[in-house]
Amino acid sequence: MLVGKLKIGHPWVREAAEGAPGTYSCIIEIQNDGDEPERLLGDTIEGAGTGVLYKLTENNGHFTSRPFEDGLVIKPHGSIELPPTEYQFRFGKITKALVADTMVNGTLVFEKLHSVPVEFMVEEDDTAPKED
């Protein structure tokens, strides 16, 4: 998907039942073909609300996470990856079932582009590490 000078590769969200306590979303890659940096600040997903970006850290096989409030900078002519083992947008209570192998509407929120409509693929994926 191309938005301005950004190429957004495979935004997805983990499946969740209606009423579930939460889920997470990730993006395989965002490439910036522009001459100015851009900052990814957040996302929203229909039925899940607004996601908060978390950075996961491993220490001797144990994972912890913390909110990453400054967002992620995508350098000019550079790219970032957001694998579920390093970064996740986390969502609270799910108000509408997110069913695997379907698409759901949402947005990515950037510093300069602001809110950009995006479709997220709902996946069964559970590769995120379990936190201690």
Side-chain angles (χ1 to χ4, degrees):
M1 160 180 211
L2 187 61
V3 178
K5 299 285 185 178
L6 300 179
K7 291 179 185 170
I8 301 167
H10 195 79
W12 61 272
V13 61
R14 183 168 179 247
E15 71 179 341
E18 183 176 342
T23 192
Y24 61 87
S25 71
C26 297
I27 304 163
I28 299 300
E29 180 182 35
I30 300 176
Q31 182 178 329
N32 183 355
D33 290 335
D35 296 327
E36 298 290 327
E38 179 61 278
R39 185 181 306 265
L40 176 63
L41 300 172
D43 72 351
T44 65
I45 293 179
E46 187 178 300
T50 300
V52 175
L53 181 62
Y54 278 77
K55 179 171 177 45
L56 282 70
T57 306
E58 179 194 4
N59 186 5
N60 295 324
H62 300 281
F63 286 88
T64 58
S65 66
R66 63 178 172 81
F68 201 71
E69 297 168 358
D70 294 335
L72 289 171
V73 173
I74 312 154
K75 295 179 181 178
H77 305 286
S79 65
I80 60 171
E81 295 181 13
L82 288 90
T85 55
E86 294 179 31
Y87 293 99
Q88 300 173 0
F89 285 102
R90 295 190 180 165
F91 298 85
K93 188 170 182 172
I94 307 305
T95 60
K96 177 182 167 186
L98 301 172
V99 180
D101 300 322
T102 63
M103 302 295 283
V104 63
N105 291 325
T107 62
L108 292 177
V109 180
F110 294 95
E111 184 175 56
K112 295 175 184 164
L113 287 174
H114 303 291
S115 185
V116 175
V118 174
E119 281 193 318
F120 288 80
M121 180 70 186
V122 181
E123 298 187 1
E124 293 179 36
D125 187 276
D126 192 14
T127 57
K130 302 302 179 238
E131 292 184 52
D132 298 319

